[in-house]
Amino acid sequence: MTSAEWHSRVVIVGGGIAGLAAAFFLRGRGAAVTVLEGSPRLGGKLATSEVAGIAVDEGAEALLTRRAEGVDLIAAVGLADRLVDPGTTTARIWTRGQFRALPRHQFMGVPADLDELERSAILSPAGLARARQDAELPATPRPGDVPVSEYVGARFGPELVDRLVDPLLGGVYAGRSDQLSFEATLPGLAQASRQRACLADAAREVLSQPTRPTPAPVFTTLADGLGTLPPALASASGAEVRTGAMVRELARTADGWRLTVGSARAPEWIDADAVILALPARPASRLIAGIAGADAAVAAAALREIGYASMAIVTLAYPASAFPEPITGGGYLVPAVDGRPVKAVTFSTVKWPHLARTPGAVDRQPARPRQLAGGSDQPLHVVRCSLGRVGEETVLQRDDRDLAALAAADLAAATGVTGPAVDSRVSRWGGGLPQYTVGHLDRVRRIRDGVGALPGLAVCGAAYDGIGIPACIGSARLAADRLLAYLETRATAGQAPAR
């Protein structure tokens, strides 16, 4: 019996981008697929809603093109014609009360060109002199995984870590460089640094490596928002997709797996031949902890070790005339050491010029500016402010009105924008970003070893190999391929599918 003839049932727990991608990769492969999402909607951290009449992403608003998984999946579901390029990818650092150019020749804040770093004036003269010692210092011993700040600080000094590396890592992980793993968050640089004592040389090597076969912008997005990808993916997968279906228990059966769904008062049981847990680490741990055996216990324990950071995105809309000078660049980052609540700002209508166009107009014709209520012909700027770092959870305890006011005040201090925003939106992502702290790669190995010993079970998502959309899609492909191989083996052995 071939895999195409073998009709098994696969249940995917979690309807975020990883779970929906896994469902798509399983389509037409001899398995009936069901996706169970506990919340009322699909998409996880991909969601789009309107601000001042403009559809703006609430969570992730771009995906990297250096990894092909994201754009390839978008093309596979028929949305390639909706991909749009950024108008600019330049960014700045707002530190010590001034905007300073973010050096272009750097890798997550690790400089490859010290002269360019000097021109940026991000570092003090003493900090720059310390950074230049990287070229002269002997190799820094690194017997195992270490915090980013420990290794990079040993090469360039603490000021470069505080003013350049920390804000870039904070923008991605909402974490801190004295906790984040060098091996897990900067794997390419970690590998190159094993062959080169000078870390600037290692950064140059990483930056010189070819990426995609044809030149492409670093980022891309969908014209109607990345929040439009999950429903398109769910539809294209052909899977049965259910929201409001909370899985409370996972147990082994003689033929496969049984999932308990819904409330304790009215439970529903679903049998499956194979299960993918496309969940954050903690809920995945709770389900795996209920499975008997040492392997499950090892995986559950390792999953519990993965912490998460909370954050919020405050989206504000202003008339362009509210800014004293024309906005240039796609946004700016703020070092934690400066003590500001906003850690990153994106000028959405500058970074993504299509947002300033009339609905659906994503061609290359001159833009028609969005207009304000009341018929004003002033163009409108949409700005996304990101708040929340590890250790700053009290900032996020403010109500929406206060959080929006806090973000607006910080934006005004940086840009001089005046007057109230014409519209605002607060999007909260509690426990939204997994923290790749020191030892993360070992934790992931223990998780995969433990889960790998449980036939017909796989995990995927942001907790493992990267938090970006392409990385999540890549982990979904691995999980789907693993289960397809398992189901093929079952079919060859003549085992009956679960009913």
Side-chain angles (χ1 to χ4, degrees):
M1 183 178 291
T2 67
S3 61
E5 297 167 334
W6 176 256
H7 293 285
S8 303
R9 186 172 194 180
V10 177
V11 173
I12 299 171
V13 186
I17 184 63
L20 294 172
F24 182 80
F25 294 138
L26 290 167
R27 76 198 188 287
R29 306 294 294 274
V33 180
T34 299
V35 178
L36 302 176
E37 167 58 43
S39 74
R41 68 167 187 87
L42 296 174
K45 299 168 192 68
L46 300 187
T48 304
S49 63
E50 289 193 352
V51 178
I54 305 172
V56 184
D57 280 308
E58 297 196 40
E61 50 97 37
L63 57 87
L64 280 169
T65 60
R66 290 194 181 106
R67 290 190 60 161
E69 294 96 332
V71 292
D72 287 352
L73 183 62
I74 286 172
V77 299
L79 294 178
D81 63 339
R82 304 303 294 162
L83 285 169
V84 291
D85 295 341
T88 178
T89 57
T90 61
R92 293 179 290 177
I93 298 284
W94 186 43
T95 183
R96 298 194 299 272
Q98 291 187 27
F99 282 115
R100 304 168 196 276
L102 180 66
R104 298 187 65 86
H105 297 91
Q106 49 81 23
F107 184 79
M108 288 302 289
V110 176
D113 185 333
L114 274 296
D115 291 334
E116 182 188 31
L117 176 65
E118 181 177 8
R119 291 192 294 272
S120 74
I122 291 173
L123 301 187
S124 67
L128 181 67
R130 173 62 183 87
R132 287 191 180 277
Q133 292 178 18
D134 169 57
E136 304 164 358
L137 290 171
T140 301
R142 197 170 81 242
D145 196 10
V146 296
V148 172
S149 64
E150 180 177 318
Y151 189 79
V152 178
R155 302 305 310 174
F156 294 107
E159 187 177 338
L160 183 133
V161 173
D162 288 345
R163 301 285 177 186
L164 195 52
V165 176
D166 216 47
L168 281 156
L169 284 174
V172 175
Y173 294 95
R176 296 182 182 274
S177 60
D178 61 354
Q179 301 172 10
L180 293 172
S181 158
F182 185 53
E183 299 287 342
T185 60
L186 303 173
L189 187 63
Q191 181 178 355
S193 68
R194 294 188 185 98
Q195 281 76 46
R196 296 178 179 274
C198 175
L199 193 53
D201 287 346
R204 273 192 294 275
E205 178 182 321
V206 172
L207 292 172
S208 68
Q209 292 173 356
T211 52
R212 293 179 64 82
T214 56
V218 175
F219 300 103
T220 189
T221 195
L222 289 169
D224 304 309
L226 286 179
T228 61
L229 178 58
L233 196 52
S235 177
S237 74
E240 175 192 7
V241 179
R242 295 171 52 185
T243 56
M246 181 65 68
V247 177
R248 294 192 295 107
E249 186 178 347
L250 177 65
R252 293 291 303 273
T253 66
D255 296 323
W257 298 91
R258 172 164 288 184
L259 300 94
T260 304
V261 184
S263 68
R265 295 182 59 186
E268 174 190 359
W269 292 278
I270 299 175
D271 289 333
D273 298 283
V275 174
I276 295 176
L277 300 180
L279 295 168
R282 292 298 173 88
S285 173
R286 287 194 292 269
L287 291 178
I288 293 175
I291 303 169
D295 294 312
V298 167
L303 282 161
R304 283 195 298 272
E305 294 175 15
I306 299 176
Y308 280 73
S310 298
M311 64 174 296
I313 301 290
V314 177
T315 306
L316 305 165
Y318 292 92
S321 59
F323 292 88
E325 298 178 0
I327 295 176
T328 58
Y332 61 88
L333 299 167
V334 187
V337 71
D338 281 323
R340 294 286 184 176
V342 173
K343 70 176 187 284
V345 165
T346 300
F347 299 124
S348 297
T349 40
V350 176
K351 182 176 180 179
W352 304 111
H354 69 278
L355 294 179
R357 302 175 189 271
T358 52
V362 292
D363 54 28
R364 298 298 179 185
Q365 300 303 312
R368 291 179 55 188
R370 298 284 183 176
Q371 295 191 354
L372 301 177
S376 171
D377 59 359
Q378 292 186 46
L380 198 64
H381 276 311
V382 175
V383 184
R384 284 174 27 123
C385 303
S386 175
L387 300 89
R389 303 179 182 92
V390 167
E392 297 180 359
E393 289 76 13
T394 55
V395 173
L396 304 180
Q397 293 173 4
R398 299 172 181 238
D399 63 26
D400 285 2
R401 182 188 295 271
D402 285 348
L403 200 62
L406 184 67
D410 230 25
L411 180 68
T415 66
V417 65
T418 58
V422 299
D423 198 6
S424 66
R425 180 190 66 196
V426 176
S427 306
R428 298 177 183 271
W429 301 105
L433 291 173
Q435 296 299 287
Y436 288 15
T437 55
V438 172
H440 180 77
L441 297 182
D442 178 66
R443 284 188 286 274
V444 171
R445 178 191 58 76
R446 285 184 279 136
I447 293 165
R448 289 219 164 103
D449 286 350
V451 171
L454 303 171
L457 184 66
V459 294
C460 64
Y464 307 104
D465 309 309
I467 67 173
I469 293 171
C472 290
I473 293 169
S475 76
R477 169 77 78 177
L478 287 173
D481 288 348
R482 178 172 184 268
L483 291 197
L484 285 170
Y486 165 73
L487 294 173
E488 179 72 23
T489 301
R490 275 176 57 115
T492 302
Q495 290 180 260
R499 300 298 180 189

